[in-house]
């Protein structure tokens, strides 16, 4: 995983995830992650490019999940660059020393003379112990060091976002968790059919088998998910979805010449199609837990790009962060 720290954005660069046919990137605003930050770099645009392993990062983030605060610092130890995460947590300890302040002792409070034991000279106020049963909070500091590799800008350019031709169809997807439920159902049907057919039905083969799902969309608000095998032919379709308008200022050609315009003009029977691995596709759809708006861009028979816009509920006017999935299409 590579991370580019810039003055206002943090952008993991493109590296293969899940399989050779999928990769993941995200562009998150710094305010979405940090309460405050300070960045100094001699590189252009005040940018630091880092490559770091995911497992140590995940361990550090899990440690910080229940912390009261966490800070990141780029440092060196024995000449090795590290991303050091300092996590502050609170632990509660209970003090059981001493008797109760308010006389909950089970011993007889009267002495042999019938006087309250522990009375002071005037016999009015009882002596109060200093110890109490109050819960006390203690701070605990945890440090997680993540090894990193500082990348040269020229190296980063070689592993950045794949170049894809202009999409033929762009459409807003239905809620991803409902799409995931149907996709998983299709995958299970295909696996069950393979087991029932008796073909190569040993455990290792079945566990590694993953069917290819076909996803298609048009420029008239329809999305179709289908599974076609020797024994199965099932499909599910969503209609009345939104095809967002493109911003002409961000296009490399006039809007009239854009592929999506041509697909729209050819009517609802003109579909852009990609084929994906069922199990990998299920992992991608898990991002639906973020509850953001998702735009899918189809390059017919070539690739599918998903833009997941992560809402910032604390700042309605802030720019949404974006998680981007690139999915190559399998051939027929």
């Amino acid at each position: 995983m590579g991370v580019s720290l810039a003055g206002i954005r943090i952008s993991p660069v493109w590296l293969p995830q899940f399989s050779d046919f999928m990769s993941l990137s995200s562009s998150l605003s710094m305010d979405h992650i940090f309460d405050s930050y300070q960045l100094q770099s001699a590189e252009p645009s005040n940018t630091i490019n880092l490559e770091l392993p995911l497992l140590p990062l995940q361990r550090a983030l899990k440690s910080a999940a229940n912390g009261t605060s966490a800070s990141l610092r780029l440092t060196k130890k024995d000449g090795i660059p590290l991303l050091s995460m300092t996590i502050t947590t609170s632990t509660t300890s209970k003090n059981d020393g001493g008797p109760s302040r308010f006389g909950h002792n089970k011993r007889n409070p009267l002495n042999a003379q019938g006087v309250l034991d522990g009375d002071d000279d005037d016999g009015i106020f009882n002596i109060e112990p200093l110890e109490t049963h109050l819960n006390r909070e203690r701070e605990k500091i945890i440090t997680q060091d993540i090894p990193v590799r500082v990348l040269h800008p020229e190296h980063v350019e070689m592993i950045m976002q794949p170049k894809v031709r202009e999409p033929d169809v762009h459409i807003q997807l239905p809620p991803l968790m409902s799409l995931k439920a149907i996709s998983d159902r299709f995958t299970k049907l295909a696996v069950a059919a393979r087991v029932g057919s008796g073909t190569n039905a040993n455990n290792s083969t079945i566990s590694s088998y993953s069917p290819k799902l076909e996803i298609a969309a048009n420029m008239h608000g329809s999305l179709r998910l289908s599974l076609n095998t020797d024994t199965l032919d099932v499909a599910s379709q969503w209609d009345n979805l939104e095809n967002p308008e493109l911003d002409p200022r961000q296009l490399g050609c006039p809007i009239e010449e854009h592929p999506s315009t041509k697909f729209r003009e050819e009517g609802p029977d003109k579909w852009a199609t990609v084929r994906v691995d069922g199990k990998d596709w299920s992992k991608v759809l898990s991002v639906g837990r973020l509850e953001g708006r998702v735009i899918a861009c189809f390059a017919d028979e070539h690739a599918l790009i998903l833009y997941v816009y992560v809402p910032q509920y604390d700042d309605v006017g802030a720019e949404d962060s974006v998680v981007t999935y690139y999915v190559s299409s399998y051939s027929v």
Side-chain angles (χ1 to χ4, degrees), residues 131-291:
E131 300 294 340
T132 70
H133 285 283
L134 298 178
N135 291 335
R136 301 177 183 273
E137 286 192 354
R138 297 178 181 176
E139 284 191 346
K140 183 179 180 181
I141 306 297
I142 301 172
T143 301
Q144 296 273 10
D145 289 333
I146 306 167
V148 299
R149 185 164 68 100
V150 180
L151 302 178
H152 193 274
E154 293 181 359
H155 179 71
V156 174
E157 291 179 0
M158 298 173 58
I159 56 176
M160 289 298 286
Q161 177 176 344
K163 293 183 179 180
V164 184
R165 60 181 171 85
E166 289 292 331
D168 301 297
V169 171
H170 46 273
I171 190 169
Q172 181 168 333
L173 295 184
L176 292 196
M177 299 315 292
S178 64
L179 182 57
K180 174 178 166 59
I182 295 176
S183 299
D184 290 348
R185 178 60 177 166
F186 283 7
T187 299
K188 291 178 181 178
L189 284 174
V191 172
R194 190 177 181 87
V195 173
S197 67
T199 304
N200 298 324
N202 58 72
N203 291 336
S204 60
T205 303
I206 294 301
S207 61
S208 61
Y209 170 68
S210 182
K212 302 301 180 286
L213 303 179
E214 185 175 283
I215 310 170
N218 62 26
M219 284 299 295
H220 292 265
S222 295
L223 175 76
R224 185 171 61 208
L225 176 69
S226 57
L227 169 67
N228 297 291
T229 68
D230 294 338
T231 57
L232 285 173
D233 186 2
V234 292
S236 183
Q237 182 166 319
W238 292 259
D239 295 314
N240 301 316
L241 301 176
E242 180 185 358
N243 297 104
E245 295 293 332
L246 297 177
D247 185 353
R249 296 171 298 179
Q250 299 183 7
L251 299 180
C253 63
I255 187 67
E256 297 80 9
E257 300 177 7
H258 194 269
S260 63
T261 301
K262 298 177 181 179
F263 265 67
R264 189 192 302 273
E265 292 173 349
E266 293 192 36
D269 292 331
K270 183 65 173 177
W271 297 82
T273 304
V274 295
R275 295 165 192 84
V276 299
D277 180 278
K279 293 181 179 179
D280 285 347
W281 177 242
S282 179
K283 295 176 183 178
V284 170
L285 294 179
S286 296
V287 76
R289 298 187 183 96
L290 297 178
E291 299 181 348

